[in-house]
Amino acid sequence: MESIIPFNKPYLTGKETTYILEAVNSGKISGNGIFTKKCQNFFEEMYQFKKCLLTTSCTDALEMAAILADIKEGDEVIVPSYTFVSTALPFIRQGAKIIFADSETVTPNIDVAKLEALITGKTKAIVPVHYAGVACDMDAIMDLAAKYNLLVIEDAAQAIDSFYKGKPLGSIGHMAAFSFHETKNIISGEGGMLTINDKRFVERAEVIWEKGTNRASFFRGEVNKYGWVDTGSSFLPSEIIAAFLWAQLEKLEKIQIQRKKIWETYYTGLKNWAVEKNIKLPTIPDYATNNGHMFYIVCSSVEQRSAIIAKLKDKQILSVFHYLSLHASPYYMDKYDGEELPNSDRYTNCLLRLPLYFELTQDQLDSIIKILVSFD
Ligand SMILES: *Cc1c(COP(=O)(O)O)cnc(C)c1O
């Protein structure tokens, strides 16, 4: 019997438990210790993020961003509809109305050509999502933000080690959020990071991170006692999580090379077949890079997608579709009063993700490609 090829398999570098043991033996396992600082410094140096704070998830990093952006009842926040619920949720909790934007035709990213029409006097922020780690058109978004005095919070959950015109994603917006969930390139089980590029938010971010206290500045000796000074929550992960993450960061380059290689193999192997079958492969715009986060295809119909999923499943290969447009979700559809979002709906119905993980072998890849190109 052939063995199952899962959609995702979390990759372990081998050093995770070594560093966890080190953290445990150090006697300091709560947050903001040595491993947390090592990870944060790594990101700040490697990608020129002004300030990094590890969080318990990307969702939590976005929660922090929504608090820092001072989003209130009556504010509007523009979010693509084709995204994970976490992109919208923190802003809804702050009382905002979400204005859902459509995706572009060529990528699932937010369509900047339709963005300005969504801005009103109540708009406070835009939250672009770099889908599959491929950059949104950030110059256009930042220009609009400057023109209307809006904040830009990048949902860079999938976008580690990816670039826009040479600039690291997560370093362009006022703030950005990354995920280290086990389905992402660099993982810690659950985990995330807020990056703050606008220095107006740095000091307050540390306070919100540590339950509304000025504990971080106390430990730097900047204040002589610490106490409750603001709102916040317990957004910081334990050192056990940070130790795991550190093991991953040491192998970042190796992981990225392998993932991009797999991506390229899919692209080359499926190119001709896709044209024949009227299936679209991912487009990487000139201004963007590919970080090997995801390989997806966009089928010509929901029926075609279902047939491909079934055929792969029959051969023990697990492929999965992705988001259901948020504006049409059970939680939101009754509240939705905006326009139709045809591209978002098309990706909902037609986008299919293929297995992509570090340990996917050349033989497995070849067999997946072979099965696909024999599909008609
Ligand atoms: C994975 C993901 C999230 C959520 O990340 P968590 O770390 O699980 O909270 C948010 N947005 C996007 C686009 C994602 O892909």
Side-chain angles (χ1 to χ4, degrees):
M1 200 185 105
E2 298 160 73
S3 61
I4 291 178
I5 301 180
F7 168 67
N8 179 57
K9 180 168 183 247
Y11 171 62
L12 301 177
T13 67
K15 280 291 196 78
E16 286 81 0
T17 47
T18 309
Y19 292 145
I20 288 173
L21 201 60
E22 225 176 86
V24 170
N25 288 338
S26 79
K28 157 81 182 166
I29 52 176
S30 63
N32 201 9
I34 289 164
F35 281 105
T36 298
K37 292 195 177 91
K38 273 175 121 140
C39 293
Q40 290 176 174
N41 290 342
F42 174 93
F43 286 116
E44 286 165 11
E45 279 163 31
M46 181 107 170
Y47 300 114
Q48 303 102 51
F49 302 139
K50 220 162 250 138
K51 175 80 186 172
C52 293
L53 294 171
L54 293 191
T55 56
T56 40
S57 66
C58 176
T59 310
D60 266 358
L62 289 163
E63 294 274 355
M64 285 184 69
I67 296 169
L68 286 164
D70 202 23
I71 302 298
K72 294 192 182 68
E73 192 92 37
D75 292 342
E76 293 179 356
V77 175
I78 301 175
V79 171
S81 182
Y82 193 72
T83 184
F84 193 55
V85 57
S86 301
T87 317
L89 205 49
F91 302 96
I92 294 206
R93 203 197 320 286
Q94 291 290 112
K97 177 172 186 193
I98 301 297
I99 304 299
F100 286 111
D102 204 7
S103 299
E104 309 178 295
T105 306
V106 290
T107 82
N109 285 341
I110 197 162
D111 188 346
V112 293
K114 296 184 196 154
L115 211 47
E116 190 160 16
L118 301 176
I119 296 171
T120 71
K122 294 178 182 168
T123 309
K124 278 288 176 62
I126 306 173
V127 191
V129 178
H130 306 299
Y131 187 81
V134 176
C136 297
D137 188 353
M138 290 307 292
D139 280 350
I141 293 170
M142 297 310 290
D143 284 352
L144 279 175
K147 182 172 169 190
Y148 294 98
N149 196 23
L150 311 175
L151 290 173
V152 174
I153 298 157
E154 296 173 70
D155 182 339
Q158 305 171 10
I160 197 72
D161 199 47
S162 202
F163 298 82
Y164 172 80
K165 297 185 181 172
K167 287 185 215 157
L169 298 184
S171 74
I172 303 166
H174 301 86
M175 292 178 256
F178 288 91
S179 175
F180 307 120
H181 185 264
E182 71 168 29
T183 51
K184 306 303 200 283
N185 291 26
I186 299 295
I187 62 176
S188 61
E190 303 280 354
M193 176 170 71
L194 179 71
T195 68
I196 302 128
N197 303 309
D198 181 331
K199 58 179 185 316
R200 284 179 298 167
F201 299 116
V202 169
E203 203 181 315
R204 192 167 183 229
E206 279 190 329
V207 169
I208 286 165
W209 191 53
E210 288 244 43
K211 303 108 183 153
T213 71
N214 54 356
R215 192 167 180 275
S217 46
F218 173 72
F219 279 108
R220 281 195 300 265
E222 294 161 8
V223 290
N224 57 19
K225 56 179 191 279
Y226 89 84
W228 183 17
V229 295
D230 202 338
T231 187
S233 191
S234 189
F235 286 115
L236 70 176
S238 87
E239 279 286 288
I240 296 173
I241 299 282
F244 190 114
L245 184 63
W246 180 247
Q248 295 267 313
L249 292 182
E250 284 187 328
K251 294 284 181 271
L252 174 99
E253 200 183 335
K254 178 179 155 192
I255 292 169
Q256 290 300 91
I257 288 171
Q258 180 64 8
R259 294 188 71 108
K260 284 189 259 189
K261 192 175 145 216
I262 294 169
W263 194 101
E264 292 293 341
T265 307
Y266 271 130
Y267 194 89
T268 311
L270 297 176
K271 212 164 45 178
N272 294 337
W273 167 74
V275 173
E276 250 171 61
K277 293 285 167 288
N278 198 19
I279 287 169
K280 298 276 185 287
L281 300 189
T283 300
I284 314 287
D286 287 343
Y287 52 67
T289 59
N290 169 34
N291 71 345
H293 174 60
M294 182 198 302
F295 194 89
Y296 66 83
I297 64 175
V298 185
C299 299
S300 57
S301 68
V302 67
E303 293 78 20
Q304 186 189 46
R305 182 176 74 176
S306 302
I308 293 175
I309 293 174
K311 170 141 186 190
L312 288 169
K313 187 150 182 260
D314 188 49
K315 306 278 185 195
Q316 312 263 42
I317 296 159
L318 301 183
S319 62
V320 288
F321 50 82
H322 211 180
Y323 308 126
L324 310 175
S325 292
L326 293 181
H327 74 283
S329 62
Y331 184 71
Y332 211 86
M333 65 188 168
D334 294 339
K335 304 191 244 302
Y336 187 65
D337 57 5
E339 312 253 310
E340 303 242 324
L341 305 175
N343 284 328
S344 180
D345 291 341
R346 183 168 54 88
Y347 292 116
T348 295
N349 292 326
C350 301
L351 187 143
L352 181 64
R353 296 178 292 161
L354 303 177
L356 201 172
Y357 50 88
F358 187 89
E359 288 165 280
L360 192 66
T361 65
Q362 187 66 44
D363 282 353
Q364 289 174 318
L365 255 176
D366 289 343
S367 76
I368 297 169
I369 292 168
K370 203 168 131 207
I371 291 160
L372 282 171
V373 298
S374 72
F375 173 85
D376 51 22

